[in-house]
């Protein structure tokens, strides 16, 4: 299977002015601050942190984000699991329900770390795992996924199948615990609503663990978390770990949800002005739907329509007010309502940085980060992994 | 600069049942048919074809799509240009306006093929090119981009700067011609409206060429085309080449515009059912916003809301009626309104194929295609290039 081939192989540029555009930037200090703020939040609530790597998919970031009391991470694909296992992470939770045909690959990656675990949400899958473990001798580690209101995958806490699922796993499959993700937190903005969602998420997954324990099962782990619900949590009672992810990068959507400030957003896209259309009051940049993603999650949140991202200066400062990328094409982004002063400030060839709506989607379009630390200097280049196989 | 690292390196699977999911599939025969239909359309209108590689970004596809009378392609990034140059394509048109800081990279890639050309749309850039060519001795080849109604980049046909731009290029920069892209064709559905847009596109770019010629400039090339406008063109008089791209892959949006039939769509995403949520009538698959893209271009076209793609069977046949991916999360897709019969037909672990809204965006999430030819067998694995640097 061949890897993505980037053909213009260049040395790492020394500064933002020398970098090819579009490029994705990561501010190291901001990632560190975001990581430490969340670690402190977890410590203060007496819970461990299992940072989810699905946003930045980088071992360099994982090393900054790890909770040394825990050591584990969550991932969203088997490819990420293999990448982080190769880089020495021992406790990797693949936080997505798996199917029988994926078990051989899972067993293969499992052999490269101490504890690769994954989610299941059905009796059929519990039975299939038992069969696979018996047939191959593989040690499988699973979490029963619980639906705490996100209504995606997972069993309801009072699902009649819950206990039979745990039984069906058999002696060779280890039940790591129960896990949930309050996906509904992404549809709410008020701090109070998010705090209530966090409380529901916590109570539902703890209740599920207690049902299993009452029936005699060992349930060592109780895992919960989305970035918005964790950030607004007032209690972690009964939980063993929080599992947020996008807080490390931050984005306009998380800022709108009150998770962090716009000035904490660590990920941005460096772009070049490629055309002035004075008669229409428009500037065109070389970052379009591939460079920024089509994510519109900030749309309809009550504030300005942030389009496809907020335009800032070369240092990531929002000096142009509410200047957004209003439209995107595959390799073009359009900024509208440009004044004469702004045309002068942003001549053809000048550079801007775009703060994205959704860090996970934007970062996914790149295979490395140009790492900055507040200034124009590029201090490192961090690879990230992408794709599935 | 490190490449994207896909960590789970596996041999090419022999069949769709053995492939890891999600994966992107390309039907070789359909690509070939789409390529030949467009070549025949161009031949019948007496114009050459310069296929745009921005959708599939694959040398294997380029070889099927090339017009042997012409030999050239269009690309959307410098990375694509470098990739295709390395694979022996000699005439490569980088169909995006460039800026001064990009010239050294362009000159570098230019040295690897006979004719790398690119777009400009301003007097400042024409002057910068002249200066760069004088200073470095580089041979630069440019197209003046014309706005024929797409209102993205480009000069208007009667822009007062047009002639001074051509003059400012100086003796070392070769004017390849004028080029346009009727981006407005993507906002129209009726065949008559698209035919009119094609006619406007043609007339505007030809008129621009004539203005330049009347002033004494040599304008060898007159390049036009978007897939919808080319497909609905009734005349190519005055044009030297058409430059469509997405017709090779096809997608639900192009089918809605009447460019091709749903059964001509060559690109699809292979996915696995990972969860049944019977109480809500929902099926969850392992293809979400990263595997399918967030493109919603079919939304509001008057037919069904196609969500994030049409669900078909393993062989790509729309046997489930209007079953769409109604919601996406990063690694999950949700199918709603599932009947008992459909739960039985699509058990956990079963496989489906999703026809995408927009082939360019969906294919961009992968670094290779699993190539099929109507059946379950995987007959090849074709790499594609992604990214910018």
């Amino acid at each position: 299977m061949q890897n993505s081939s980037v053909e213009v192989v260049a040395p790492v540029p020394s500064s933002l002015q020398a970098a090819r555009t579009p490029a994705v930037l990561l501010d190291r200090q901001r990632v560190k601050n975001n990581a430490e703020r969340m670690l402190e939040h977890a410590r203060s609530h007496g819970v461990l942190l299992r940072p989810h790597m699905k946003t930045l998919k980088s071992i360099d970031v994982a090393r900054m984000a790890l909770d040394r009391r825990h050591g584990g991470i969550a991932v969203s694909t088997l490819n990420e699991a293999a990448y982080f296992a190769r880089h020495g992470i021992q406790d990797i939770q693949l936080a997505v329900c798996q199917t029988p045909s994926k078990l051989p690959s899972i067993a293969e990656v499992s052999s490269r770390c101490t504890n690769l675990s994954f989610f299941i949400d059905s009796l059929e899958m519990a039975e299939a795992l038992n069969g696979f473990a018996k047939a191959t001798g593989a040690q499988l580690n699973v979490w029963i996924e619980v639906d705490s209101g996100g209504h995606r995958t997972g069993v309801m806490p009072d699902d009649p199948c819950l206990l039979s699922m745990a039984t069906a796993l058999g002696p060779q499959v280890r039940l790591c615990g129960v896990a949930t993700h309050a996906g509904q937190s992404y549809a709410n903005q008020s701090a109070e609503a998010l705090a209530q969602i966090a409380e529901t998420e916590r109570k539902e997954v703890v209740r599920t663990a207690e049902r299993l324990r009452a029936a005699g099962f060992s349930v060592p782990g109780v895992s919960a978390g989305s970035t918005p619900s964790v950030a607004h949590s007032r209690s972690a009672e009964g939980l063993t770990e929080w599992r947020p992810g996008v807080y490390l990068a931050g984005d306009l959507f998380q800022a709108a949800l009150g998770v962090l400030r716009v000035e904490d957003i660590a990920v941005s896209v460096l772009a070049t002005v490629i055309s002035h259309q004075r008669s229409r009051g428009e500037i065109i940049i070389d970052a379009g739907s591939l460079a920024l993603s089509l994510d519109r999650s900030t749309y309809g949140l009550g504030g300005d329509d942030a389009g496809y991202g907020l335009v800032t200066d070369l240092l990531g400062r929002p000096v142009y007010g509410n200047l957004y990328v209003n439209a995107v094409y595959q390799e073009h982004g359009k900024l509208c309502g440009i004044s004469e002063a702004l045309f002068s400030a942003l001549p053809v060839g000048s550079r801007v940085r775009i703060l994205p709506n959704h860090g996970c989607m934007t970062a996914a379009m790149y295979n490395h980060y140009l790492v900055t630390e507040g200034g124009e200097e590029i201090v490192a280049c961090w690879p990230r992994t992408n794709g599935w196989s």
Side-chain angles (χ1 to χ4, degrees), chain A:
Chain A
M1 208 67 83
Q2 279 135 309
N3 286 0
S4 172
S5 50
V6 171
E7 300 293 323
V8 185
V9 177
V12 177
S14 60
S15 79
L16 296 183
Q17 288 292 1
R20 285 215 180 92
T21 61
V24 71
L25 311 181
L26 199 59
D27 187 295
R28 183 160 64 185
Q29 189 60 49
R30 290 187 185 187
V31 174
K32 192 159 180 275
N33 294 347
N34 293 340
E36 288 178 358
R37 205 164 52 246
M38 189 60 85
L39 280 164
E40 180 50 37
H41 182 50
R43 267 187 225 109
S44 75
H45 282 82
V47 67
L48 302 182
L49 195 66
R50 180 193 287 280
H52 201 313
M53 289 295 122
K54 70 172 191 148
T55 305
L56 293 173
K57 303 194 185 191
S58 149
I59 185 62
D60 301 283
V61 172
R63 290 185 183 126
M64 296 174 89
L66 281 177
D67 184 343
R68 303 289 159 191
R69 305 168 304 161
H70 182 301
I73 61 170
V75 299
S76 63
T77 66
L78 192 60
N79 177 61
E80 283 166 69
Y83 165 84
F84 286 107
R86 185 164 74 77
H87 286 284
I89 306 284
Q90 295 300 321
D91 177 354
I92 302 174
Q93 180 197 58
L94 175 53
V96 176
C97 286
Q98 302 296 310
T99 60
S101 71
K102 301 185 183 222
L103 295 178
S105 304
I106 288 171
E108 186 192 322
V109 177
S110 285
S111 67
R112 299 187 234 162
C113 60
T114 309
N115 182 6
L116 175 65
S117 59
F118 59 93
F119 286 9
I120 61 165
D121 76 350
S122 70
L123 181 57
E124 304 92 292
M125 193 58 198
E127 287 166 347
L129 289 185
N130 187 12
F132 182 86
K134 275 185 189 159
T136 64
Q139 168 68 57
L140 300 174
N141 308 300
V142 302
W143 299 77
I144 294 179
E145 188 178 3
V146 178
D147 181 353
S148 60
H151 299 331
R152 192 171 65 186
T153 43
V155 297
M156 301 306 288
D158 43 21
D159 190 302
C161 279
L162 178 69
L163 304 182
S164 40
M165 276 176 71
T167 305
L169 290 173
Q172 266 182 261
V173 179
R174 189 169 75 90
L175 179 63
C176 301
V178 288
T180 195
H181 167 71
Q184 72 271 36
S185 65
Y186 281 68
N188 281 274
Q189 254 195 294
S190 88
E192 186 51 40
L194 286 166
Q196 282 175 20
I197 287 168
E199 191 57 8
T200 302
E201 179 185 34
R202 182 185 71 79
K203 282 185 175 163
E204 293 292 81
V205 71
V206 169
R207 181 160 75 92
T208 314
E210 283 166 2
R211 256 191 86 199
L212 284 162
R213 286 172 184 149
F217 295 99
S218 166
V219 185
V222 185
S223 179
S226 67
T227 287
S229 64
V230 163
H232 291 84
S233 278
R234 292 171 188 161
S235 164
E237 199 185 329
L239 301 179
T240 61
E241 62 183 37
W242 274 340
R243 210 177 65 247
V246 71
Y247 71 97
L248 290 162
D251 52 35
L252 294 176
F253 186 63
Q254 295 300 321
L257 300 189
V259 166
L260 39 62
R261 303 164 306 166
V262 169
E263 52 266 43
D264 296 322
I265 297 174
V267 65
S268 60
V269 172
L270 183 68
T272 300
V273 171
I274 62 168
S275 180
H276 278 186
Q277 297 290 332
R278 281 180 187 261
S279 64
R280 297 196 305 274
E282 294 170 357
I283 280 178
I284 313 294
I285 60 174
D286 64 356
S289 52
L290 283 185
L292 299 172
S293 99
L294 283 165
D295 196 280
R296 296 278 281 122
S297 48
T298 55
Y299 182 68
L301 282 183
D304 272 15
D305 178 357
Y308 298 87
L310 179 68
V311 183
T312 69
D313 72 1
L314 190 65
L315 295 178
R317 297 168 301 198
V319 295
Y320 306 120
N322 295 332
L323 180 63
Y324 299 109
V325 182
N326 303 107
V328 287
Y329 312 81
Q330 186 164 337
E331 297 293 347
H332 299 76
K334 187 186 273 190
L335 287 43
C336 300
I338 305 300
S339 64
E340 270 308 310
L342 214 43
F343 276 120
S344 301
L346 294 172
V348 170
S350 63
R351 294 175 168 223
V352 292
R353 274 161 74 171
I354 315 297
L355 303 184
N357 283 326
H358 187 171
C360 306
M361 293 303 295
T362 300
M365 310 312 292
Y366 300 85
N367 54 38
H368 62 268
Y369 303 101
L370 298 181
V371 180
T372 58
E373 214 158 55
E376 291 192 23
E377 193 192 351
I378 294 167
V379 299
C381 178
W382 289 351
R384 56 169 279 144
T385 192
N386 283 314
W388 298 271
S389 61

